[in-house]
C-alpha cells in the first residue's frame, strides 16, 4: 500500500505540473530559428532568408550579420514586427553588399520583457570579385599622455 501511495503522489504531483503547462509555452520556442540558408552553406547574390520567429510575448525579430563569426562586428540586415509562424520567408538579402568570408547570421526574437532569444547559422559569403572580410586590427593600449586641464572663469 505504501508503494502505491508513493507512486500515486508522484504521478499526481509531476503529472499535474506537466499537464498544467500550456502547450504554446512548450512548443512556441522549439521551432524558432533559421531554416535557409543551411548551416555552413555558401551564399551569393540575392538570397531569401527563411525561418521561424515567434514567442508567446512576441515584440519583433531582427537579423544581423556577424562579420568574421563569433565576436565579430554585427551589421543590421532586417527587422520584422509580425511573428512568422509557421516557418516562411523572413526577408530578401543582397549578399553582394557584404564582404566575402565566413560569417554568422543572427536572428534575435525579442519578447515582451524586452529580452531576446538568439539563433545563429554559420555561412560563407562568396560573391565573385567582392573583397574578403578583414577583421579590424586589435586596439592597442596607449601610454598615458599629459592631460590638459581647463577651468571655467577668468584665469
Amino acid at each position: 500500500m505504501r508503494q502505491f501511495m508513493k507512486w500515486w503522489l508522484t504521478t499526481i504531483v509531476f503529472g499535474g505540473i506537466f499537464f498544467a503547462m500550456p502547450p504554446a509555452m512548450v512548443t512556441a520556442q522549439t521551432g524558432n530559428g533559421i531554416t535557409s540558408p543551411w548551416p555552413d552553406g555558401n551564399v551569393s547574390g540575392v538570397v531569401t532568408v527563411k525561418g521561424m520567429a515567434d514567442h508567446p510575448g512576441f515584440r519583433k525579430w531582427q537579423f544581423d550579420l556577424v562579420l568574421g563569426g563569433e565576436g565579430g562586428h554585427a551589421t543590421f540586415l532586417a527587422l520584422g514586427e509580425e511573428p512568422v509562424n509557421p516557418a516562411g520567408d523572413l526577408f530578401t538579402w543582397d549578399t553582394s553588399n557584404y564582404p566575402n568570408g565566413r560569417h554568422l547570421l543572427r536572428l534575435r526574437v525579442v519578447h515582451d520583457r524586452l529580452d531576446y532569444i538568439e539563433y545563429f547559422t554559420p555561412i560563407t559569403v562568396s560573391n565573385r570579385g567582392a573583397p574578403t572580410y578583414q577583421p579590424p586590427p586589435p586596439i592597442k593600449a596607449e601610454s598615458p599622455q599629459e592631460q590638459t586641464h581647463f577651468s571655467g572663469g577668468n584665469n
Side-chain angles (χ1 to χ4, degrees):
M1 180 69 162
R2 183 175 249 181
Q3 288 285 37
F4 174 75
M5 291 300 288
K6 194 175 187 180
W7 171 84
W8 185 80
L9 282 173
T10 303
T11 303
I12 295 301
V13 170
F14 290 113
I17 291 170
F18 177 75
F19 290 112
M21 293 173 66
M25 296 295 286
V26 176
T27 60
Q29 296 176 12
T30 58
N32 279 343
I34 304 163
T35 58
S36 179
W38 288 95
D40 298 314
N42 288 316
V43 295
S44 61
V46 177
V47 174
T48 300
V49 177
K50 299 178 181 188
M52 185 170 135
D54 197 6
H55 187 278
F58 180 86
R59 296 284 295 238
K60 68 178 181 177
W61 56 260
Q62 177 177 325
F63 263 94
D64 300 296
L65 182 66
V66 182
L67 298 171
E70 193 172 330
H73 174 76
T75 299
F76 174 81
L77 295 176
L79 175 109
E81 294 180 332
E82 296 294 327
V84 177
N85 184 357
D89 294 354
L90 290 162
F91 72 102
T92 302
W93 174 35
D94 184 356
T95 66
S96 67
N97 294 321
Y98 300 89
N100 286 340
R102 189 154 170 79
H103 310 299
L104 284 175
L105 268 179
R106 176 177 69 196
L107 166 62
R108 283 185 173 168
V109 178
V110 181
H111 53 79
D112 56 353
R113 293 190 183 115
L114 297 181
D115 200 359
Y116 53 83
I117 303 166
E118 293 183 319
Y119 305 89
F120 295 90
T121 296
I123 56 152
T124 300
V125 174
S126 32
N127 288 298
R128 179 177 236 162
T132 300
Y133 175 72
Q134 298 295 323
I139 298 172
K140 296 180 183 177
E142 297 184 20
S143 60
Q145 298 178 356
E146 183 179 318
Q147 296 182 1
T148 306
H149 296 280
F150 295 97
S151 61
N154 300 332
N155 281 350

